[in-house]
Amino acid sequence: MRLHRFYIKEQIEKGKDIRINNDELLHQWMKVFRLKASDRVIVFNGNGMEYEGYFKILAKKEAVLIFDKENLVKNIPKVELHVFQSIIKKDNFELIAQKCTEIGVSAFHPIISERSEKKDLNIERLNKIVTEASEQSGRGSVPEVFIPLKLEDSIKDFSGDLFTLDFDGKSFSSIKTKEGEKIGLLLGPEGGWSDKEREFLKEKGIKSVSLGSQVLRAETASIVVSALILIG
């Protein structure tokens, strides 16, 4: 039977006890998954390893885990992809966070664009979504979710290459990535970037790429492009 997999923040060392006092995790283990003492699980904490072990104690106030196996996480994206997504409807943005996490996106940067239907997001809920998607997909780290910022502020300190999706851009195949490279993908809201935003992107020298004449919804575009970069 496949073991349940969980993200924890604690430092882990094979053969040593780990005490967990996180109420949310304890509730999840006992009430949602109906786990009990002696049951085995897999955990990871973002250090590139995953650890298999068992509950020495699993109670309402505290769990004690001991790990007897460790493995290098093999599910490592070939590039560090940051998705700069304009804020769209809540359910659709959450879909982007979930599916792009499964694909291997490293971080999400919500953008408050001129055509954004909303100006804020529930960051706590998004962090929960990307954590659960990381647990499910077998990846070794949880993507970072940044606070919403305006376009110019969002990219101000980004150190990698930036691309934006636009009908007038070059063919998507023009994006050439190297293993380990850090890149950012800028995606507009429903209806696309405003003329002012497109001019700003042009002034910054950010390359425009296109998937062709097919009109995709914002959430579809994010998922498709992320998959093409990280998997395709």
Side-chain angles (χ1 to χ4, degrees):
M1 185 178 72
R2 183 181 177 186
L3 297 179
H4 293 298
R5 191 170 182 272
F6 301 97
Y7 171 73
I8 65 174
K9 295 181 179 180
E10 286 76 8
Q11 293 298 309
I12 306 169
E13 190 172 340
K14 182 181 173 183
K16 289 194 174 183
D17 291 359
I18 300 292
R19 295 184 178 273
I20 307 290
N21 304 106
N22 184 301
D23 290 339
E24 187 174 346
L25 264 179
L26 292 170
H27 173 81
Q28 189 179 24
W29 288 336
M30 296 181 68
K31 301 298 183 181
V32 179
F33 291 96
R34 304 291 182 182
L35 298 171
K36 57 187 182 302
S38 79
D39 282 346
R40 298 186 69 84
V41 293
I42 294 172
V43 304
F44 65 103
N45 64 357
N47 69 353
M49 303 291 292
E50 63 179 19
Y51 302 84
E52 182 180 331
Y54 60 92
F55 290 103
K56 188 175 179 180
I57 298 171
L58 181 53
K60 186 176 181 180
K61 296 294 184 181
E62 182 180 63
V64 177
L65 279 159
I66 187 164
F67 301 101
D68 48 28
K69 295 181 182 179
E70 61 181 23
N71 295 292
L72 186 68
V73 176
K74 297 179 180 179
N75 187 4
I76 301 174
K78 62 182 180 180
V79 299
E80 182 183 333
L81 175 60
H82 291 237
V83 169
F84 293 77
Q85 173 65 59
S86 295
I87 296 176
I88 54 177
K89 292 178 181 178
K90 177 179 75 72
D91 290 349
N92 294 339
F93 200 102
E94 290 176 359
L95 179 68
I96 290 171
Q98 181 189 57
K99 298 308 175 186
C100 288
T101 294
E102 294 174 15
I103 291 166
V105 166
S106 296
F108 297 95
H109 303 252
I111 293 176
I112 303 169
S113 62
E114 291 189 5
R115 292 176 177 165
S116 291
E117 296 181 15
K118 291 182 59 181
K119 304 298 181 183
D120 62 345
L121 289 168
N122 187 335
I123 300 300
E124 183 178 352
R125 177 168 167 78
L126 284 173
N127 276 313
K128 184 177 181 179
I129 288 169
V130 300
T131 297
E132 291 177 352
S134 299
E135 293 170 343
Q136 178 273 324
S137 61
R139 60 182 288 167
S141 62
V142 175
E144 184 172 2
V145 180
F146 289 81
I147 62 170
L149 295 172
K150 291 184 177 180
L151 175 59
E152 55 270 29
D153 296 322
S154 182
I155 67 172
K156 183 170 60 177
D157 298 319
F158 187 72
S159 58
D161 289 332
L162 287 164
F163 299 88
T164 185
L165 203 62
D166 195 295
F167 279 120
D168 297 330
K170 295 182 179 179
S171 170
F172 183 82
S173 61
S174 64
I175 294 182
K176 305 297 181 184
T177 60
K178 298 177 183 177
E179 190 167 345
E181 185 178 9
K182 180 178 179 180
I183 61 175
L185 179 67
L186 290 151
L187 297 119
E190 301 290 355
W193 301 112
S194 68
D195 290 341
K196 182 180 177 181
E197 288 166 337
R198 292 180 72 178
E199 186 61 32
F200 170 78
L201 294 171
K202 185 177 179 181
E203 289 175 359
K204 290 293 182 181
I206 295 171
K207 301 172 186 175
S208 294
V209 292
S210 172
L211 290 176
S213 58
Q214 195 80 4
V215 179
L216 301 179
R217 293 179 64 92
E219 65 273 19
T220 306
S222 292
I223 295 167
V224 168
V225 176
S226 296
L228 287 171
I229 292 173
L230 295 170
I231 301 174

